[in-house]
Amino acid sequence: MQGFLKPYQVEQIKKKYPPGTRIELDGMDNERDMPVGLKGTVQYVDDAGQLGMSWDNGRTLSLIPNEDRFHIIQAEQKKEQEENQIRVLVVEPGKTPYAKQIENDYRAMQKLVDGCIEFVALPEPDCHLYCNDEGKLNGLPGNRRMDHGDIICGTFFICADDGEGNDISLNDKQLQYYTERFQEPEQYTDEEAHHFEYEIKVMPPASNDMEDVLRMLGFLGGNDEMER
């Protein structure tokens, strides 16, 4: 029997076997349908330090550390972790870009840009960037100027698209292109970085003369006359 575990020992078990950990059974005494080699997934660790399991044969029998015999399937764990990661190019203010493996999850993306993420399309096909959607409002430092003239404030990262709206890793060619594109850090004043441009349209005053209205809208020159 395992006996009573102290709280710190239970915490150690929880850290070692987080939910999602894949387990292979090496032996469990006096249990039918639990053969050696059976695989399962950890669902939780209870306050007694027992592993709540979902076994591949449909059973949910818990594992008791130091009593039942089992091990973590390292190769399977590593493969699952790698499949949920993408390679991106991170561009921070005042620094040269660098490649990084990140979790393909919005929470990891928000952490990287220090806030809610905003999607920004890039002119090159199959690539886009994510930045802090309140970078200017929160006074984050100016980072890089985009091709359309706007300045991204705060850290942003670039990833690729699979054509169906899913984020995927940059390939080597894309990574090299954007590394060179944003290689040199750029410096901007707060006024430059946090400037918003608004398009203001002035409506012409009311007029009963159709020729005057067309002239103010630019359809007629100063001396042009309407065809009658």
Side-chain angles (χ1 to χ4, degrees):
M1 296 291 291
Q2 151 173 284
F4 178 76
L5 295 178
K6 296 180 179 180
Y8 80 89
Q9 293 175 311
V10 174
E11 287 302 315
Q12 288 177 339
I13 294 174
K14 290 182 177 180
K15 290 181 179 179
K16 185 175 181 179
Y17 304 103
T21 301
R22 290 287 289 171
I23 296 293
E24 184 171 339
L25 189 64
D26 297 323
M28 181 181 289
D29 297 333
N30 303 318
E31 287 293 339
R32 297 179 59 187
D33 302 323
M34 300 298 290
V36 173
L38 179 63
K39 298 178 181 179
T41 304
V42 177
Q43 300 299 306
Y44 61 88
V45 176
D46 64 21
D47 293 337
Q50 297 186 13
L51 280 61
M53 297 293 299
S54 175
W55 294 100
D56 291 357
N57 66 354
R59 298 199 62 182
T60 57
L61 193 64
S62 296
L63 283 173
I64 304 175
N66 300 325
E67 181 173 329
D68 298 319
R69 299 174 298 283
F70 57 92
H71 66 272
I72 295 175
I73 309 174
Q74 297 289 355
E76 199 166 325
Q77 286 288 106
K78 183 177 180 181
K79 181 180 179 181
E80 288 181 358
Q81 291 174 355
E82 290 177 347
E83 287 178 349
N84 195 41
Q85 290 188 341
I86 57 174
R87 182 175 67 165
V88 304
L89 183 71
V90 181
V91 186
E92 298 183 33
K95 297 182 180 180
T96 56
Y98 59 91
K100 184 176 183 178
Q101 294 283 135
I102 67 168
E103 293 292 324
N104 193 4
D105 176 84
Y106 78 94
R107 289 164 294 190
M109 296 177 177
Q110 288 180 334
K111 183 178 180 180
L112 190 56
V113 304
D114 194 24
C116 294
I117 55 176
E118 177 182 359
F119 174 94
V120 178
L122 293 171
E124 292 73 19
D126 303 327
C127 291
H128 54 272
L129 68 81
Y130 289 107
C131 63
N132 188 312
D133 71 344
E134 295 185 336
K136 292 183 184 291
L137 293 175
N138 292 337
L140 298 181
N143 191 343
R144 301 296 201 278
R145 187 184 296 276
M146 298 294 105
D147 293 338
H148 60 271
D150 189 30
I151 297 172
I152 300 291
C153 291
T155 298
F156 66 86
F157 66 90
I158 301 169
C159 59
D161 184 280
D162 66 356
E164 298 182 355
N166 300 310
D167 299 320
I168 60 174
S169 295
L170 293 171
N171 60 38
D172 292 341
K173 184 178 180 180
Q174 293 166 333
L175 185 66
Q176 180 180 359
Y177 174 83
Y178 282 109
T179 298
E180 294 175 356
R181 165 69 175 81
F182 297 112
Q183 180 66 28
E184 295 299 325
E186 301 170 5
Q187 301 295 327
Y188 299 101
T189 65
D190 288 342
E191 183 178 359
E192 290 174 320
H194 305 141
H195 175 67
F196 288 91
E197 292 186 0
Y198 297 92
E199 183 179 358
I200 302 175
K201 295 183 178 179
V202 180
M203 297 301 295
S207 173
N208 293 325
D209 190 323
M210 181 60 71
E211 184 176 349
D212 290 341
V213 173
L214 291 175
R215 183 176 291 110
M216 284 184 286
L217 291 174
F219 292 109
L220 291 179
N223 298 322
D224 293 335
E225 292 184 0
M226 292 181 61
E227 287 189 7
R228 300 187 187 277

